[in-house]
Amino acid sequence: MTTPGALWPAVTALLFVAANWLYGRAGERAYAHPILLPSVALMGWFSLNEDGLMAYVADTQFFHIFLAAAVVGLAVPLYRSWGAVKANKRAVLAAVAGGSIAGVMSALVPAMLLQASPEIIASLGTKSITTPMAVTVAGSIGGVPSIAAAVVVITGLFAALVGPGLLRALGVDDDVATGLALGTAGHAIGTAEAVRLSRTMGAAAAFAMTANGLATAVLLPLVWG
Amino acid sequence: MARSLVGILILMAFLYGAAFLVRSLSLPLPAPILGLLLLTAVLLARRGVPEVIAAGSDTLIRIFPLLFIPPIVALLDVKALVLSAPLVLLLAVSASTLVGLLVTAFLYRALVRGKGQA
């Protein structure tokens, strides 16, 4: 069955608008997050109609350029709240470095203990950096790019859905702290969530995402060798 | 509306400029991250955000979650790979993401408080 090229982008956008409305009505609970419901609905549909997935991926390919442009656009919240990040430069850098290392190690150690294959282990090393980076870096340390990409997306989604509520429950009421955590652990998906929640949180997340991504991309291949 | 569109086009120009640099210098960076760095440098140099760029950025950031839906749906395509090591991947993703979140947030808080008391 062929579908007109604009159908899937339109369906995706409509599902998002509907989910976003529901999210507001549900008091912004994580289970009603506007990334989650449309994704679950579309994945359900394409599990039943597997032949349609290729067309969906092809027809929504142009979303990538907007996604990439949105990442560039994170420069604006980053610039606007630069002061909040700069005021505690050392604490910010140490927190991002510490969180990044702790996150990677706590993924690798259980994987090694469970005797996962070297390809899986290498594909986990890049879990907290943004997809295009993860795929390149995972490839260079012997990982499987598609597993690395899947791990990155699931990690980001998990951080965005669980992070803000968890940190609030544990008494973290500082937007910079929450933003740094979301950007470090959840790359662009976590940052997208932070930007929705507050300007300062978004800026801290954009900074953490960039710093973590740069450091991981440069250091991981060196450490791995 | 028109302003947002112009802003989005400017962001895309930064993206393509960054992509060109990444390719010609074979930098170990993805183009969007380099584009983010370049635009931040321009904003810092200008000491202000031009209104069109702010409008474009705000529009894209508002639909950010929408833009992640297709790559998430595309995960179905690697379902077999993900299911080949479900326990490891589940542990790695959930436990280590929690560790990453908590260490970052609490380390920052501890360091900022420590500084305040000193």
Side-chain angles (χ1 to χ4, degrees):
Chain A
M1 189 180 73
T2 56
T3 50
L7 177 73
W8 287 121
V11 168
T12 307
L14 280 175
L15 284 172
F16 170 72
V17 170
N20 208 17
W21 177 80
L22 267 176
Y23 185 55
R25 304 252 330 180
E28 314 219 330
R29 304 282 168 163
Y31 64 79
H33 194 282
I35 292 187
L36 201 58
L37 289 180
S39 303
V40 169
L42 287 164
M43 284 175 115
W45 172 262
F46 289 116
S47 301
L48 300 173
N49 303 280
E50 284 180 26
D51 301 341
L53 186 62
M54 289 263 286
Y56 178 84
V57 172
D59 290 346
T60 54
Q61 194 66 44
F62 75 94
F63 277 44
H64 284 263
I65 173 139
F66 286 98
L67 184 56
V71 171
V72 175
L74 288 172
V76 174
L78 182 59
Y79 170 79
R80 279 183 183 148
S81 304
W82 184 241
V85 172
K86 213 173 69 177
N88 293 299
K89 218 180 316 168
R90 282 203 184 144
V92 166
L93 287 174
V96 172
S100 171
I101 293 167
V104 171
M105 292 314 288
S106 59
L108 296 182
V109 171
M112 287 171 180
L113 292 178
L114 290 166
Q115 301 183 326
S117 67
E119 292 84 5
I120 294 272
I121 294 176
S123 309
L124 288 171
T126 52
K127 63 182 278 287
S128 286
I129 57 176
T130 189
T131 317
M133 244 189 219
V135 170
T136 347
V137 178
S140 75
I141 61 174
V144 182
S146 49
I147 296 189
V151 167
V152 167
V153 172
I154 300 169
T155 297
L157 191 57
F158 187 79
L161 295 182
V162 175
L166 175 76
L167 293 174
R168 214 177 306 125
L170 291 174
V172 177
D173 47 10
D174 181 341
D175 279 1
V176 176
T178 306
L180 291 174
L182 285 173
T184 304
H187 56 87
I189 304 184
T191 301
E193 186 63 13
V195 171
R196 283 166 70 91
L197 297 174
S198 95
R199 240 182 206 190
T200 309
M201 202 186 282
F207 178 83
M209 173 189 80
T210 311
N212 183 21
L214 287 174
T216 313
V218 176
L219 294 179
L220 201 59
L222 296 178
V223 177
W224 212 268
Chain B
M1 187 63 195
R3 203 177 275 170
S4 297
L5 280 179
V6 175
I8 292 171
L9 288 176
I10 294 174
L11 295 176
M12 285 180 177
F14 270 89
L15 180 65
Y16 282 116
F20 173 76
L21 285 176
V22 165
R23 248 198 322 273
S24 46
L25 305 174
S26 27
L27 299 173
L29 278 183
I33 297 285
L34 183 62
L36 165 62
L37 288 174
L38 291 175
L39 180 56
T40 307
V42 168
L43 297 179
L44 286 170
R46 289 185 44 121
R47 295 167 179 277
V49 184
E51 228 176 293
V52 275
I53 294 185
S57 161
D58 288 345
T59 303
L60 286 181
I61 285 171
R62 218 170 307 135
I63 60 164
F64 224 142
L66 166 66
L67 302 175
F68 283 112
I69 295 170
I72 291 172
V73 174
L75 288 182
L76 269 184
D77 210 32
V78 293
K79 194 174 57 177
L81 274 175
V82 174
L83 293 180
S84 68
L87 182 64
V88 172
L89 293 175
L90 191 72
L91 256 179
V93 167
S94 54
S96 69
T97 305
L98 291 179
V99 169
L101 284 167
L102 297 177
V103 169
T104 311
F106 284 96
L107 192 55
Y108 174 77
R109 274 211 334 183
L111 291 171
V112 168
R113 284 196 185 161
K115 196 180 100 175
Q117 282 159 4

